[in-house]
Amino acid sequence: AVQGCILTGVWVIAHECGHHAFSDYQLLDDIFGLVLHSGLLVPYFSWKYSHRRHHSNTGSLERDEVFVPKQKSCIKWYSKYLNNPPGRVLTLAVTLTLGWPLYLALNVSGRPYDRFAYHYDPYGPIYSDRERLQIYISDAGVLAVCYGLFRLAMAKGLAWVVCVYGVPLLVVNGFSVLITFLQHTQPALPHYTSSEWDWLRGALATVDRDYGILNKVFHNITDTHVAHHLFSTMPHYHAMEATKAIKPILGEYYRFDETPFVKAMWREARECIYVEPDQSTESKGVFWYNNKL
Ligand SMILES: [Zn+2]
């Protein structure tokens, strides 16, 4: 678990490479990002481009890439059987362990595209024509690491690879899903359809959280996410300072939730089930969470 937490810190740096926030040289960021992401079995450019789309469409019910809340009409019939303590434990367990690979491979919880979308597909609808070659390169990176792991398993045994690599990787995946889920899901966060959405409103529909000691381990990606959405090419070591600076300017538009993250995870799983249009506005483009099934 300790290795996993430290490795989550590495994931934070890798994420920064994708934002060109690591060095002044795009090529260096891409090479370093490719190596780090492949090492975590993430296709680097594929993720970089879909993550960029997330940043330019945050909070939009139609175009955000991930953690898009459902509207009431799209709620699945089994949801009401899952909104109880055992159901939530099951949902959270699956989300934290399999959520990340399922999102990459099957676009689970991703935005709808007109056809099946997955991160490994160079011709997929997530990417534009000039990005396709880089998707092949990302796939090659992941395949190379898989091959390396296979060779390691042959040499040292599968159990060794699972302990030294598999378990820490599960921890990284779990934390990265949890961190991003909690940054974009909170009972008081609005979502918008195109009649009301704009980039700034979306960027401000994110929330900073407190992970206690882990804030430091995770390079403060947890408690500086609002600033990250406003200035995404800023490296993590300036994010605390930037957050301090934006707080007084944003005033009540700056969102911070001090609920301990485990408690917050449980509450959000219970309360953030689907969104409904705000009844008080004329335009019906602002949506709030509801949990009544
Ligand atoms: Zn980002």
Side-chain angles (χ1 to χ4, degrees), residues 50-61:
S50 74
H51 186 62
R52 181 177 293 171
R53 285 180 165 219
H54 158 64
H55 270 269
S56 32
N57 297 296
T58 314
S60 159
L61 283 173

Side-chain angles (χ1 to χ4, degrees), residues 4 8 31 50 86 99 104 111 124 152 223 237 264 279 285 292:
T8 308
I31 292 171
S50 74
L104 289 177
R111 64 159 268 192
L152 258 179
D223 52 354
Y237 42 84
Q279 300 304 326
K292 311 239 167 11

Side-chain angles (χ1 to χ4, degrees), residues 47 50 65-66 98-110 119:
W47 159 247
S50 74
E65 280 294 317
V66 72
L98 297 174
W100 179 231
L102 284 177
Y103 168 63
L104 289 177
L106 303 171
N107 200 33
V108 169
S109 121
H119 275 75

